[in-house]
Amino acid sequence: MERAEKYLQNALNAFDFGGEVVGAVRYGKGHINDTFCVHTQPGENPCRRFILQRISSGAFHHPEQLMANIVGVTSYLSKEIAAAGGDPTRETMQVCMTKDGKSFYADEEGGAWRVYPFIEDTICLQAAETPELFEASAFAFGNFQRMLKDYPADTLYETIPHFHDTEDRLAKLKAAVAADVMGRVKEVQPELDFVAAREADCSVALQALREGKLPLRVTHNDTKLNNVLIDRESGRGVCVIDLDTVMPGLSINDFGDSIRFGANHSAEDEKDLSKVNFDISLFNVYTRGFLEGAAGALTDAELDYLPWGAKLMTLECGIRFLTDYLEGDHYFRTHREGQNLDRCRTQFKLVSDMEQQWDDMKAVIDQYRK
């Protein structure tokens, strides 16, 4: 029996689901947390569903800080949404408290379990099936920036220190190369050369922050398409989910991580790099949606640096995959040998494509400036 399932029943008992729990099954395709869909039967009323997650202790060492961030941000968003005439129970995540009033339940191993109501009649996509759906996710993430523009970013905990600190990611890669615990460095010299040629790039956004050119904001920090719930009927982006990495950060990183993930047509671990191509038309679509959702909340400097956000998040992600491969694949969940190396190579191919289309990317940003 896996560790998460061993403590599943105790976690279920810690929450009041408002009805009899009739089932709990594994759910979703996330790499990090263990996720279950809980089915309940509240008397004669229709059955209800909830999402129950065991937070990864490997990725998140301080669940109390993580949950404090989520409770603070979702409470703030609920008020903003209600004030605008929206539905907070559908348009932002709602944290269900335990029976003793806490935001999570700690199991016997110190694992943290939390519960959210399931948002019905939505879909979670792993890839942009149409440009319209990609744009819908862009609007949702841009709107997320807009609604949180006045939230004091410096009050949030840094749940994963140096998460989008590209300089630190580079340093960790160098340390992994020096240690070479798996004996894999000899396999990845072309990838290491690729990073070395772009070492100065790793400081571009952080230096702009240090110089005050870019403001510190509340950022999601994992803005993949599958972290937006899409309304099944209308195709609109309904709710931004997976708020574990909500921290102080840079808006250009939120923009850039979406481009990294969505502005191409290949799988993240595609072996055939000829199938991996940065799509400027999808970049155009996403930029339009994101800036419409942001509705003027970004500064001119942030707009100027958006192409850098795309390049740096892609480069950084490739560095992270490469580091994990060299260290023995202990962070990102893998299902086959060499998967993290393949993931790294797709990211670096996208970086190369972006460099070749840099002027086109800048022209798209200028087209949608508000």
Side-chain angles (χ1 to χ4, degrees):
M1 182 179 294
E2 293 186 22
R3 181 177 59 186
E5 291 170 345
K6 178 180 178 182
Y7 298 115
L8 176 60
Q9 190 58 52
N10 288 340
L12 289 169
N13 292 338
F15 294 88
D16 181 2
F17 291 97
E20 178 188 0
V21 174
V22 296
V25 295
R26 284 195 174 271
Y27 187 83
K29 299 182 179 180
H31 291 322
I32 307 300
N33 299 318
D34 289 301
T35 303
F36 300 84
C37 184
V38 179
H39 298 249
T40 68
Q41 183 62 57
E44 298 298 320
N45 296 313
C47 66
R48 292 190 65 196
R49 294 194 288 176
F50 296 83
I51 291 294
L52 170 67
Q53 286 185 314
R54 188 180 197 268
I55 302 168
S56 169
S57 57
F60 304 103
H61 303 306
H62 298 284
E64 72 285 353
Q65 295 181 2
L66 180 153
M67 291 307 299
N69 282 359
I70 292 176
V71 169
V73 166
T74 55
S75 298
Y76 184 91
L77 287 172
S78 291
K79 293 174 183 176
E80 290 287 306
I81 292 164
D87 180 358
T89 66
R90 189 166 175 79
E91 296 173 38
T92 186
M93 300 174 74
Q94 304 288 323
V95 177
C96 296
M97 297 299 175
T98 63
K99 291 175 180 176
D100 56 1
K102 297 179 181 177
S103 60
F104 66 95
Y105 159 73
D107 64 28
E108 293 88 335
E109 284 191 350
W113 298 75
R114 41 83 184 298
V115 169
Y116 304 110
F118 195 99
I119 300 177
E120 300 290 352
D121 299 316
T122 62
I123 54 176
C124 179
L125 300 173
Q126 300 303 313
E129 296 174 359
T130 66
E132 290 78 16
L133 289 170
F134 193 39
E135 186 169 1
S137 74
F139 183 92
F141 282 124
N143 191 47
F144 186 80
Q145 282 288 316
R146 180 192 64 78
M147 288 191 293
L148 291 168
K149 64 184 175 61
D150 294 325
Y151 192 101
D154 57 1
T155 65
L156 293 174
Y157 292 103
E158 194 176 6
T159 54
I160 304 179
H162 305 291
F163 185 59
H164 278 325
D165 181 337
T166 314
E167 294 170 338
D168 186 69
R169 296 295 186 182
L170 178 63
K172 285 182 168 64
L173 173 61
K174 291 180 177 180
V177 170
D180 196 16
V181 294
M182 303 298 293
R184 292 173 170 176
V185 167
K186 62 183 179 293
E187 306 170 22
V188 298
Q189 195 56 52
E191 289 73 29
L192 294 174
D193 291 343
F194 185 91
V195 175
R198 292 157 181 81
E199 184 164 341
D201 291 348
C202 293
S203 296
V204 167
L206 293 170
Q207 189 59 33
L209 175 65
R210 289 190 284 262
E211 293 174 359
K213 295 178 181 177
L214 295 176
L216 197 67
R217 294 194 184 273
V218 178
T219 46
H220 184 281
N221 295 298
D222 191 19
T223 50
K224 299 191 295 291
L225 178 71
N226 57 8
N227 284 333
V228 174
L229 297 180
I230 304 293
D231 184 84
R232 190 181 298 276
E233 189 169 319
S234 70
R236 291 180 52 252
V238 174
C239 180
V240 173
I241 61 172
D242 195 0
L243 305 181
D244 291 346
T245 51
V246 166
M247 290 181 279
L250 298 175
S251 62
I252 67 168
N253 291 345
D254 271 8
F255 173 84
D257 205 27
S258 289
I259 297 302
R260 175 198 75 77
F261 182 81
N264 74 93
H265 300 282
S266 70
E268 194 172 57
D269 61 350
E270 174 59 59
K271 288 186 175 185
D272 182 355
L273 294 182
S274 70
K275 298 179 181 178
V276 181
N277 299 287
F278 173 64
D279 188 331
I280 192 68
S281 66
L282 287 176
F283 179 81
N284 188 316
V285 164
Y286 191 89
T287 300
R288 182 173 62 209
F290 186 85
L291 294 185
E292 183 182 350
L298 303 184
T299 67
D300 284 340
E302 287 174 301
L303 296 174
D304 291 339
Y305 276 85
L306 286 178
W308 275 107
K311 178 179 175 179
L312 289 175
M313 286 300 93
T314 310
L315 178 62
E316 179 189 286
C317 193
I319 289 172
R320 291 176 64 198
F321 286 139
L322 181 57
T323 302
D324 199 31
Y325 179 71
L326 294 178
E327 291 179 343
D329 306 307
H330 61 80
Y331 184 81
F332 295 103
R333 191 171 290 171
T334 58
H335 307 289
R336 58 175 174 79
E337 185 72 23
Q339 189 172 14
N340 273 328
L341 181 57
D342 290 332
R343 289 166 172 162
C344 160
R345 288 169 173 164
T346 65
Q347 301 310 294
F348 289 172
K349 173 59 163 58
L350 290 172
V351 169
S352 295
D353 283 5
M354 290 177 191
E355 291 170 345
Q356 294 171 21
Q357 300 182 64
W358 195 252
D359 290 342
D360 293 334
M361 293 169 70
K362 290 163 62 176
V364 168
I365 302 298
D366 289 341
Q367 180 181 350
Y368 297 114
R369 281 179 181 268
K370 292 185 181 296

